[in-house]
Coordinates of all heavy atoms in Angstrom, one line a residue:
W142 N -19.2 6.1 5.8 CA -19.7 7.3 5.1 C -20.7 6.9 4.1 O -20.7 5.9 3.5 CB -18.5 8.0 4.5 CG -18.7 9.2 3.6 CD1 -18.8 10.5 4.2 CD2 -19.1 9.3 2.3 NE1 -19.1 11.3 3.2 CE2 -19.2 10.7 2.0 CE3 -19.2 8.4 1.2 CZ2 -19.6 11.1 0.8 CZ3 -19.6 8.8 -0.1 CH2 -19.8 10.2 -0.3
Q143 N -21.7 7.8 3.8 CA -22.7 7.6 2.8 C -22.9 9.0 2.0 O -22.6 10.0 2.5 CB -24.0 7.0 3.2 CG -24.7 8.1 4.2 CD -26.0 7.5 4.7 OE1 -26.1 6.3 4.8 NE2 -27.0 8.3 5.1
G144 N -23.1 8.8 0.7 CA -23.3 9.9 -0.1 C -24.4 9.8 -1.1 O -24.9 8.6 -1.3
V145 N -24.9 10.7 -1.6 CA -26.1 10.7 -2.6 C -25.5 10.7 -4.0 O -24.6 11.6 -4.3 CB -27.0 11.9 -2.5 CG1 -28.0 11.9 -3.5 CG2 -27.6 11.9 -1.1
A146 N -25.9 9.7 -4.8 CA -25.5 9.5 -6.2 C -26.2 10.5 -7.1 O -27.3 11.1 -6.7 CB -25.6 8.2 -6.6
D148 N -28.2 9.7 -9.4 CA -29.5 9.3 -9.6 C -30.4 9.4 -8.4 O -31.5 8.8 -8.4 CB -29.5 7.8 -10.1 CG -28.9 6.8 -9.0 OD1 -28.5 7.3 -8.0 OD2 -29.0 5.6 -9.2
A149 N -29.9 10.1 -7.4 CA -30.7 10.4 -6.2 C -30.7 9.2 -5.2 O -31.3 9.4 -4.1 CB -32.1 10.9 -6.4
R150 N -30.0 8.2 -5.4 CA -30.0 7.2 -4.5 C -28.9 7.4 -3.5 O -27.8 7.9 -3.8 CB -29.8 5.7 -5.1 CG -30.9 5.4 -6.2 CD -30.6 4.0 -6.8 NE -31.7 3.7 -7.8 CZ -31.7 2.6 -8.5 NH1 -30.7 1.7 -8.3 NH2 -32.6 2.4 -9.4
T151 N -29.0 6.8 -2.2 CA -28.0 7.0 -1.3 C -27.2 5.7 -1.2 O -27.7 4.6 -1.3 CB -28.6 7.1 0.2 OG1 -29.4 8.3 0.2 CG2 -27.5 7.2 1.2
V152 N -25.8 5.9 -1.3 CA -24.9 4.7 -1.2 C -24.1 4.8 0.0 O -23.4 5.8 0.3 CB -23.9 4.9 -2.5 CG1 -22.9 3.7 -2.4 CG2 -24.7 4.8 -3.8
A153 N -24.2 3.8 0.8 CA -23.4 3.7 2.1 C -22.3 2.7 1.8 O -22.4 1.6 1.5 CB -24.3 3.2 3.2
L154 N -21.0 3.3 2.0 CA -19.9 2.4 1.8 C -19.8 1.1 2.6 O -19.4 0.2 2.0 CB -18.5 3.3 2.0 CG -18.4 4.5 1.1 CD1 -17.0 5.1 1.3 CD2 -18.5 4.1 -0.4
E156 N -22.0 -0.9 3.3 CA -22.9 -1.8 2.8 C -22.4 -2.5 1.5 O -23.0 -3.5 1.0 CB -24.3 -1.2 2.5 CG -24.9 -0.7 3.6 CD -26.3 0.0 3.4 OE1 -26.6 0.1 2.2 OE2 -27.0 0.5 4.4
R195 N -16.8 -2.7 -8.0 CA -17.8 -1.6 -8.0 C -16.9 -0.3 -8.0 O -15.9 -0.1 -7.1 CB -18.6 -1.6 -6.7 CG -19.5 -0.4 -6.5 CD -20.7 -0.5 -7.5 NE -21.5 0.7 -7.4 CZ -22.6 0.8 -6.6 NH1 -22.9 -0.2 -5.7 NH2 -23.4 1.9 -6.5
A220 N -25.4 6.4 -11.2 CA -25.5 5.6 -10.0 C -24.2 5.5 -9.2 O -24.2 5.1 -8.0 CB -26.1 4.2 -10.2
L223 N -20.9 10.0 -6.7 CA -21.5 10.5 -5.4 C -21.0 11.9 -5.3 O -19.9 12.3 -5.6 CB -20.9 9.5 -4.4 CG -21.2 8.1 -4.5 CD1 -20.8 7.3 -3.3 CD2 -22.7 7.8 -4.7

Side-chain angles (χ1 to χ4, degrees):
W142 181 88
Q143 65 180 25
V145 178
D148 66 353
R150 298 182 184 181
T151 298
V152 178
L154 295 186
E156 294 179 2
R195 178 74 180 271
L223 307 184

